[in-house]
Amino acid sequence: MVKILVTGGAGFIGSNFVRYMLDKYPDYEFINLDLLTYCGNLENLSGIEDNPNYTFIKGDICHKSLVHEIMAEMDYVINFAAETHVDRSIEDPEIFIKSNILGTQVLLDAARELGVEKFLQISTDEVYGSLGESGYFREDTPLAANSPYSASKAGADLMVRAYHKTFDLPINITRCSNNYGPYQFPEKLIPLMISNALADEALPVYGDGLNVRDWLHVHDHCRAIDQVLHDGKNGEVYNIGGNNEKKNIDIVKLILKNLGKDESLIKYVKDRPGHDRRYAIDSTKIQTELGWKPKYTFETGIAETIEWYLDNRDWMDKVKSGEYQEYYERMYR
Ligand code: NAD
Ligand code: DAU
């Protein structure tokens, strides 16, 4: 039986991934190690708790002895665990260094000592920095991170690379563009705008609203990770993206239109410091070498996603009732 350690599996992408894999591979076994930080949420995994092939362990990827103990039986390690929000990294970078760089190094050490078959690092297109009006991020684009978040992810990527080059650890790194879909914490653009629009609250658009992101449905990201896990060539980096560039303001207007709300809710606010202007992924490598391509069109994906948040208002209300309120006050009022 294949045994896989997933870290950060109670977050947005990790929980979608665990659901997808349990469904697709009923004979694989999964351990989910997650610290349940402000955005880790066991409700993202409701319905699968009793699956005999799934175990949840609450813990920190920085905790060496715990990580060694858990990893002893594992064939594969997939590291989703991270601090992930750019705005929080601007407020307080320290925890980003700890969880994203030190945590990754603790996992790498254990993986090396215990001889895991593959260490898959879930990274981000943000490590490449910002694009002008033209061009795309390729796997050989130099790393040029601009925020403490992306710098910590770039640091982790380099550490993963170093363990491969120095210690022969079998690895892959994936660098994906912006994800959207169910279970995303409402500090991120799409769920935040849906949530505020539903509450008839202002929709805070940073700067001129013309920054561009390349959006991919989270289920397409999960399919790509599955493919890299099984077929990725040892040591390789794979970019993952939907070829779906959108300006922030267009996304916000689309959400308002879908919800039947007025554009007067839009409020332009102070820009994010160091705000990357444009991200766009060239995913030729994963498409040609591994045969992956996205299934969702943005139109279908965003309509389905809005529908999901409408159908899961309890989930949203609970998520917003905790630390979120304080964060929102600090950030936006
Ligand atoms: P998320 O913030 O929703 O979830 C992160 C999870 O990691 C949470 O469950 C949290 O409790 C856990 N965690 C944090 N620190 C931990 C620690 N020290 N030990 C154990 N668990 C810890 O994040 P997400 O959006 O699901 O992103 C998952 C991964 O994918 C991240 O590595 C992120 O950099 C990467 N990524 C995200 C996107 C995106 O658009 N969301 C795009 C590309 C890559
Ligand atoms: O590109 C992949 C990255 O995408 C991931 O690595 C990150 O973990 C993930 O958070 C995301 O980063 P972004 O900074 O692009 O996502 P965010 O949702 O925070 O912002 C998307 C865009 O929307 C960005 O240009 C900032 C803007 N924005 C965001 C918020 C939260 C606003 O205009 N207003 C807002 O309130």
Side-chain angles (χ1 to χ4, degrees), residues 86 122-131 136-139 141-146 149-151 153-154 157 173-179 212-216 221 237-245 276 278-282:
V86 172
I122 308 302
S123 186
T124 167
D125 61 354
E126 294 200 14
V127 297
Y128 297 121
S130 183
L131 292 164
Y136 294 91
F137 296 135
R138 292 162 40 101
E139 287 80 0
T141 301
L143 303 192
N146 291 319
Y149 161 67
S150 52
K153 292 296 288 186
D157 281 17
I173 297 173
T174 57
R175 296 187 179 136
C176 189
S177 59
N178 288 61
N179 283 215
V212 171
R213 297 292 182 265
D214 181 355
W215 294 93
L216 183 74
H221 188 188
V237 175
Y238 294 94
N239 283 353
I240 305 168
N243 208 1
N244 179 45
E245 293 180 51
D276 286 337
R278 173 173 167 257
Y279 303 148
I281 282 273
D282 178 343

Side-chain angles (χ1 to χ4, degrees), residues 84-87 124-126 149 176-179 187-190 192-193 204-206 211 213 215 248 272 275-276 279 332:
T84 62
H85 194 38
V86 172
D87 295 323
T124 167
D125 61 354
E126 294 200 14
Y149 161 67
C176 189
S177 59
N178 288 61
N179 283 215
E187 65 189 351
K188 308 281 165 62
L189 181 77
I190 289 181
L192 186 142
M193 296 299 165
V205 173
Y206 297 164
N211 298 64
R213 297 292 182 265
W215 294 93
N248 293 340
R272 173 187 278 175
H275 196 174
D276 286 337
Y279 303 148
Y332 294 101

Side-chain angles (χ1 to χ4, degrees), residues 81-108:
E83 289 292 329
T84 62
H85 194 38
V86 172
D87 295 323
R88 289 185 192 253
S89 82
I90 295 166
E91 259 195 327
D92 184 7
E94 193 175 331
I95 186 68
F96 286 74
I97 308 306
K98 186 164 178 279
S99 288
N100 299 3
I101 303 182
L102 189 61
T104 302
Q105 185 265 332
V106 168
L107 292 170
L108 286 166

Side-chain angles (χ1 to χ4, degrees), residues 11-13 34-35 37 39 60-61 80 84 99 123 149 153 179:
F12 163 49
I13 305 173
D34 194 299
L35 188 56
T37 65
C39 65
D60 193 335
I61 57 167
F80 292 91
T84 62
S99 288
S123 186
Y149 161 67
K153 292 296 288 186
N179 283 215

